[in-house]
Amino acid sequence: LDLSTFFLGRPLTAPLMNASGVWCNVNGQLHALAESEAGAMVTKSCTLLRRDGNPEPRYHTLSMGSINSMGLPNEGHQYYLDYAERHDYENKPLFFSVAGLTLDDNLTIVAQIQDAYTPALLELNLSCPNVPGKAQIGYDFDALDVILAEISSAYSRPFGVKLPPYFDTAHFDEVADILNRYEKVNFITCINSIGNGLMIDMDSETVLIKPKQGFGGIGGEYVLPTALANVNAFHSRCPKKSIIGCGGVSTGEHVFMHLLAGASLVQVGTALYEQGPEIFVRLKTELATIMQEKGYKTIREFQGKLKTL
Ligand SMILES: O=C(O)c1[nH]c(=O)[nH]c(=O)c1Cl
């Protein structure tokens, strides 16, 4: 079965990759992803300088997913540039996630990616919900417009954005209108975690994570319907851009749903955190079985072809 999908202008061995932030903070994890059955991979969102992130516990497994308030712990942008220089791009494409704390930091990091001229694809994270005191750019439409204008003029190559989930048609319309004004925005990754959820331990009557009084981004099964909606909303509104689906994927069926909704590539976060990079073997097999059962030989035969009633 041809599992390849012609994203990035080249066939991938599988339309699967990690979600930024999961299994991609340090070299050992990045190496494990590079050796995995994933078709591509992305680095942890980086800031200009190294960050410890928020106090622990800052991640907790939930019955149907996860809650996290990591606080952007990362080794600093140079560490990931060094990795990007060593990465074997013939083996699999690499995405480079950036989440600078200020516009200037983003421009400084992007300028260094530009100068390093790495074949990595920039995924600009506009949706980190866990840096105390920092509102998400993805929910500030003026700031969104400004950063896309600035990055578009500072960076000469196509890039993508990692968006938070939206829950209102007017927001889908407004954000798509902004994105469509930037032809360099070549792909859109939907969605980041659903920000500022809260879960409770019944015995101790306390929250589950330490930062932000227990508030954190929700991932996993809980977010699948929201992820599929955002993938489909931007797929239909941004016909010239590729959509990378992210959110709620733990089986081949979920991968199939994201592709049917319009994704060209599918990221795995919570389930990868829990099961490790071996998960890509299972997801690939399960997707191939589904395609076989449905009589599809290639992804293109069903990608983006979700039917309405
Ligand atoms: O707390 C984090 O590091 C974090 N956690 C998320 O769920 N999404 C993000 O984009 C980031 Cl940057």
Side-chain angles (χ1 to χ4, degrees):
L1 266 179
D2 162 19
L3 271 179
S4 71
T5 170
F6 280 81
F7 187 76
L8 319 170
R10 51 181 290 169
L12 298 180
T13 56
L16 296 166
M17 62 184 285
N18 66 302
S20 179
V22 184
W23 221 283
C24 58
N25 262 65
V26 292
N27 286 328
Q29 294 173 327
L30 292 164
H31 180 71
L33 284 181
E35 297 300 298
S36 77
E37 288 293 294
M41 60 187 273
V42 60
T43 56
K44 165 67 183 173
S45 296
C46 66
T47 46
L48 198 62
L49 305 175
R50 186 184 177 287
R51 282 172 59 88
D52 286 335
N54 291 335
E56 296 182 330
R58 58 194 188 184
Y59 178 98
H60 206 286
T61 304
L62 305 177
S63 58
M64 285 173 56
S66 64
I67 185 166
N68 93 83
S69 187
M70 311 303 280
L72 251 178
N74 73 97
E75 299 300 317
H77 78 291
Q78 190 56 51
Y79 181 98
Y80 302 101
L81 276 175
D82 295 345
Y83 173 80
E85 262 177 48
R86 296 194 308 271
H87 181 75
D88 172 4
Y89 293 87
E90 284 315 303
N91 170 42
K92 58 175 75 79
L94 175 72
F95 291 79
F96 193 103
S97 179
V98 173
L101 296 177
T102 64
L103 176 58
D104 272 358
D105 283 4
N106 276 313
L107 290 169
T108 303
I109 297 168
V110 163
Q112 296 203 14
I113 299 171
Q114 173 92 7
D115 294 347
Y117 201 76
T118 155
L121 275 159
L122 169 63
E123 184 182 78
L124 187 61
N125 184 353
L126 303 172
S127 43
C128 175
N130 302 320
V131 179
K134 224 172 107 31
Q136 288 199 40
I137 296 170
Y139 289 154
D140 177 343
F141 297 165
D142 293 336
L144 174 64
D145 206 346
V146 167
I147 193 168
L148 292 177
E150 294 279 347
I151 299 289
S152 293
S153 58
Y155 193 63
S156 67
R157 303 203 296 280
F159 65 97
V161 292
K162 174 76 170 284
L163 296 180
Y166 299 97
F167 304 91
D168 185 296
T169 306
H171 295 167
F172 291 143
D173 293 341
E174 188 157 356
V175 173
D177 285 349
I178 295 171
L179 296 176
N180 283 331
R181 280 198 273 106
Y182 296 97
E183 60 179 329
K184 268 193 196 143
V185 175
N186 175 270
F187 68 90
I188 304 167
T189 305
C190 299
I191 60 173
N192 207 316
S193 53
I194 295 180
N196 294 300
L198 180 65
M199 193 40 85
I200 293 170
D201 179 289
M202 277 296 287
D203 300 331
S204 60
E205 301 172 9
T206 58
V207 302
L208 299 179
I209 55 175
K210 189 178 179 88
K212 295 175 57 176
Q213 288 79 41
F215 284 59
I218 303 297
E221 201 90 34
Y222 295 114
V223 314
L224 182 63
T226 297
L228 293 174
N230 278 261
V231 163
N232 193 245
F234 286 99
H235 172 71
S236 57
R237 287 171 175 76
C238 305
K240 294 194 184 115
K241 303 181 189 303
S242 297
I243 309 299
I244 301 182
C246 184
V249 174
S250 62
T251 68
E253 287 198 353
H254 302 150
V255 178
F256 185 88
M257 290 182 195
H258 267 274
L259 295 169
L260 194 67
S264 298
L265 196 42
V266 180
Q267 299 184 344
V268 187
T270 298
L272 170 62
Y273 187 104
E274 307 289 339
Q275 300 174 37
E278 284 306 304
I279 192 172
F280 292 114
V281 178
R282 175 170 64 79
L283 293 177
K284 229 173 125 172
T285 308
E286 289 176 356
L287 176 62
T289 303
I290 291 164
M291 286 173 63
Q292 202 133 25
E293 284 165 357
K294 288 171 171 285
Y296 292 128
K297 293 221 174 332
T298 66
I299 287 168
R300 273 186 306 284
E301 291 165 48
F302 64 91
Q303 197 251 343
K305 296 200 167 45
L306 174 62
K307 291 172 272 188
T308 53
L309 295 175

